[in-house]
Amino acid sequence: MPRTLCPHRGHALQYSKCPYHGLTFPAPQSCFQHEDVSRGTFDDLWCEKIEDDLGASFFTYDMPVKAHASLWMQNTMDCNHVTTVHAETFARVFESISPVEVGIGSSGSHHSLRVKREVVEVYKKLIGDGVSDVFFHAVEYPNLSVTNFLNVFYSFETVKNNSTGCRVTTKFYLSKNNPAPRPLVDAAIEMNRKILHEDRKIVESWAETYGDAKHVKFLKNEERIRAYLHSPLCHHP
């Protein structure tokens, strides 16, 4: 009998292929064995300290999602889905989805991804030497995530459950130290709108077949998700 659910996250398969991580079945069991990644440290006050670098907010996006907030948070912590779910958007800016650093603490986690050199050079040409070369993502349990893209763009995202699922509210900021020109801001707005809709589509699809019994194995770089699932602040649907 052909598989109908991915044994990794319980997502419905499409022609024996999981649309979330792009895995095709049948596959060796070793594909699902958890592998350790380097651990950094997590500063519980990081989300507060980042505000020192924030300039004006340039975009707020409020979006209903037909899935439990727990699923949205698990998705936003997962590096591995970037190359499949965001193949034509977010994935194109990274050298690799392997994190430069991963850190897990008692109340949150973070990871960094290296941005392609050509993308960094474009930003430096338009903005100056204050541009970094990484995308940084921090999560504060149970419902807040914060990002820093090249020390130019920041976002604060909150997730709250409601009667139909959850509501995701994302507020984007410019760095006061590295202000971007308007065309770059407009491009960032369009890109982030697409990314959020891609995530909503996959999370709502994932929710249809989700169950607590499914998340028993983890791919490389998913330590952060395991920490979230085992947190007393995570309430599963």
Side-chain angles (χ1 to χ4, degrees):
M1 178 180 290
R3 293 183 187 272
T4 57
L5 299 178
C6 172
H8 171 229
R9 304 294 288 173
H11 201 296
L13 301 181
Q14 297 173 358
Y15 303 103
S16 298
K17 186 174 183 178
C18 176
Y20 193 60
H21 288 132
L23 297 172
T24 301
F25 298 94
Q29 189 71 10
S30 59
C31 288
F32 308 105
Q33 290 178 353
H34 170 71
E35 298 179 47
D36 288 332
V37 293
S38 60
R39 292 172 180 263
T41 58
F42 184 82
D43 186 344
D44 293 341
L45 299 178
W46 187 85
C47 292
E48 297 177 14
K49 291 178 179 178
I50 197 174
E51 295 180 356
D52 293 338
D53 195 41
L54 294 181
S57 172
F58 64 90
F59 179 54
T60 299
Y61 200 67
D62 195 45
M63 183 176 69
V65 179
K66 295 179 181 178
H68 195 277
S70 175
L71 299 190
W72 183 269
M73 291 301 290
Q74 290 173 43
N75 174 72
T76 198
M77 294 169 73
D78 184 306
C79 302
N80 297 284
H81 80 279
V82 170
T83 54
T84 45
V85 177
H86 306 301
E88 299 301 317
T89 51
F90 210 26
R92 303 173 88 174
V93 307
F94 296 120
E95 293 283 3
S96 167
I97 61 166
S98 297
V100 177
E101 181 184 63
V102 174
I104 302 170
S106 61
S107 65
S109 68
H110 74 260
H111 76 274
S112 300
L113 297 177
R114 188 81 64 192
V115 178
K116 287 182 178 178
R117 180 177 298 178
E118 54 266 36
V119 175
V120 175
E121 290 304 317
V122 168
Y123 273 74
K124 286 186 174 181
K125 184 176 180 180
L126 293 171
I127 298 171
D129 292 335
V131 175
S132 73
D133 64 350
V134 297
F135 165 78
F136 185 85
H137 181 206
V139 175
E140 275 284 326
Y141 304 146
N143 63 353
L144 170 68
S145 65
V146 185
T147 66
N148 170 353
F149 184 74
L150 304 181
N151 287 342
V152 178
F153 296 119
Y154 296 86
S155 74
F156 281 73
E157 182 174 273
T158 56
V159 189
K160 295 183 179 180
N161 280 318
N162 55 34
S163 60
T164 59
C166 68
R167 181 165 290 276
V168 179
T169 302
T170 313
K171 195 166 188 177
F172 297 90
Y173 295 84
L174 278 173
S175 167
K176 65 182 179 184
N177 298 319
N178 299 303
R182 190 68 219 183
L184 208 54
V185 172
D186 290 340
I189 291 174
E190 182 61 23
M191 173 71 79
N192 281 288
R193 194 193 307 270
K194 289 180 179 178
I195 292 169
L196 286 167
H197 279 273
E198 288 168 348
D199 279 327
R200 178 169 69 176
K201 181 178 179 180
I202 200 72
V203 169
E204 289 182 341
S205 173
W206 187 11
E208 294 176 3
T209 56
Y210 182 84
D212 280 349
K214 300 299 190 301
H215 40 68
V216 293
K217 297 184 183 296
F218 295 84
L219 295 174
K220 186 177 180 180
N221 305 328
E222 287 189 346
E223 285 186 326
R224 306 166 71 241
I225 300 173
R226 177 156 64 176
Y228 180 78
L229 291 171
H230 293 172
S231 166
L233 296 173
C234 177
H235 300 289
H236 309 307

